[in-house]
Amino acid sequence: MLAVAFAALSALAYGSGQFMTQLGLRHGRVRAPQAILINLTAASLVLAVALAVAWAVDPVDLEWPAVTYFAVAGLLGPFAGRSLNFLAIQRVGATRTASLGMSESLFAAALAWLILGQALSALTLVGVVVLVVGMGLFVNETGRSFRRVGAPLPVEGGGEAMDTSLRTSRTAVGTAIGLASGFLFSIAGIMRQLGIDLVPSAVLGAAVGTFVALLVTLINVVRTGQLGGVFRVEARDAVPLATSGVLASTGMVCFFLALQLGGELAVSSALKNLTPLFTFALAALFLAHVERITARVGLLVAVVVAGAVIMTIGRS
């Protein structure tokens, strides 16, 4: 029962993290690299504490090939994947980005089949169909929802028409970025799993990956001359972004605890895939004036989550 509770807390933390990211980015005052730096700094602090505790309880011998896998996973996931995730949230909102992120399950299954030679069960294929249909409907809904007022244009006979091309383009880019983020996280998951096969410490893998992502982000921010701007970010933007990092790391730790406490991988992963539902609920309560939240969106979130959960159970 405790393992189930930690798996559910993992989904709540991840979902709340997406919501907090949108809170931090909603005013458009923080550049994406600066936001990522704030987010990863807070995330690294949480994982450093978790790693210290894990190491004290059960120390492991470092294997440099494993560390390399973890570092590559960090570049693909916490750095590149999370950066794209932030960009997608800026364009289409937290709820849609979280749901588009469920494409990670689809990409992971495809990569496991192509690269690792894992067979796909009938239940997994059912989940693939549900998820693909749900994602297709979600992409269509996102485009329709955000195709609205842009710049006024004169029309023949007087009056004005509205130029929606800019908004439509922004939405299309945001959707593509959200899907790309899911793809990068799926590859990062495979890299992390290869590392865990050598050194069975998921907390170490998450910590190494996040630390590497933080270092690369810091170098990028310094290189582009944005470091000074990080210290000028207003608290009402910085606090949600930092909280998002804390929640993301908390979600990782809770998920690992669920597995270590005897939770079945299929059940724990299925519960973790409920993340978009929590994001949707929080956005509907507090961000309805910022993000277009409707009953149709809620239904599509449920379809996407159902597909991801079925795939997860099928792959167990």
Side-chain angles (χ1 to χ4, degrees):
M1 185 65 184
L2 191 58
V4 172
F6 272 112
L9 283 174
S10 174
L12 175 60
Y14 278 120
S16 301
Q18 294 277 51
F19 166 76
M20 295 304 294
T21 297
Q22 185 164 0
L23 278 183
L25 296 174
R26 72 188 188 281
H27 295 119
R29 292 187 294 257
V30 187
R31 295 184 179 181
Q34 297 171 334
I36 291 291
L37 181 60
I38 294 170
N39 179 274
L40 288 175
T41 299
S44 296
L45 292 175
V46 173
L47 287 174
V49 173
L51 180 60
V53 173
W55 207 285
V57 174
D58 185 21
V60 297
D61 295 326
L62 286 179
E63 296 282 349
W64 288 110
V67 174
T68 301
Y69 281 128
F70 293 150
V72 172
L75 291 175
L76 292 171
F79 175 63
R82 196 172 298 188
S83 296
L84 292 181
N85 183 270
F86 275 37
L87 292 174
I89 288 175
Q90 286 180 319
R91 288 164 172 77
V92 297
T95 298
R96 291 169 176 81
T97 298
S99 299
L100 292 170
M102 287 295 98
S103 61
E104 177 185 349
S105 298
L106 182 62
F107 291 128
L111 291 171
W113 176 58
L114 292 171
I115 298 176
L116 303 180
Q118 294 182 2
L120 300 180
S121 68
L123 188 58
T124 299
L125 293 176
V126 171
V128 168
V129 172
V130 174
L131 184 55
V132 168
V133 171
M135 294 296 293
L137 292 173
F138 220 108
V139 169
N140 180 64
E141 185 280 335
T142 301
R144 291 176 56 189
S145 178
F146 283 82
R147 193 180 298 117
R148 67 169 200 159
V149 175
L153 293 175
V155 296
E156 185 176 353
E160 293 181 336
M162 305 312 297
D163 179 11
T164 61
S165 60
L166 182 60
R167 188 63 177 176
T168 301
S169 174
R170 179 182 176 86
T171 304
V173 171
T175 301
I177 289 174
L179 294 173
S181 175
F183 177 67
L184 289 174
F185 274 115
S186 67
I187 302 178
I190 291 178
M191 292 293 105
R192 188 179 297 113
Q193 186 59 54
L194 290 173
I196 291 174
D197 289 342
L198 299 175
V199 177
S201 175
V203 174
L204 175 64
V208 170
T210 302
F211 296 159
V212 168
L214 174 60
L215 177 61
V216 174
T217 302
L218 178 60
I219 292 173
N220 181 50
V221 169
V222 172
R223 181 185 60 83
T224 56
Q226 300 182 46
L227 184 60
V230 174
F231 298 100
R232 293 192 294 271
V233 173
E234 295 183 17
R236 57 177 172 172
D237 296 324
V239 170
L241 292 171
T243 303
S244 172
V246 170
L247 289 169
S249 293
T250 301
M252 289 186 204
V253 173
C254 287
F255 182 70
F256 299 152
L257 284 174
L259 297 178
Q260 290 178 4
L261 290 170
E264 295 184 8
L265 178 61
V267 174
S268 298
S269 298
L271 287 171
K272 175 176 169 286
N273 283 335
L274 299 179
T275 293
L277 294 179
F278 289 108
T279 306
F280 170 78
L282 289 170
L285 287 173
F286 301 107
L287 292 177
H289 62 292
V290 176
E291 186 177 356
R292 295 167 189 79
I293 300 297
T294 64
R296 176 184 172 84
V297 171
L299 177 61
L300 293 178
V301 169
V303 172
V304 169
V305 168
V309 169
I310 293 171
M311 283 187 61
T312 301
I313 295 174
R315 293 183 64 194
S316 61

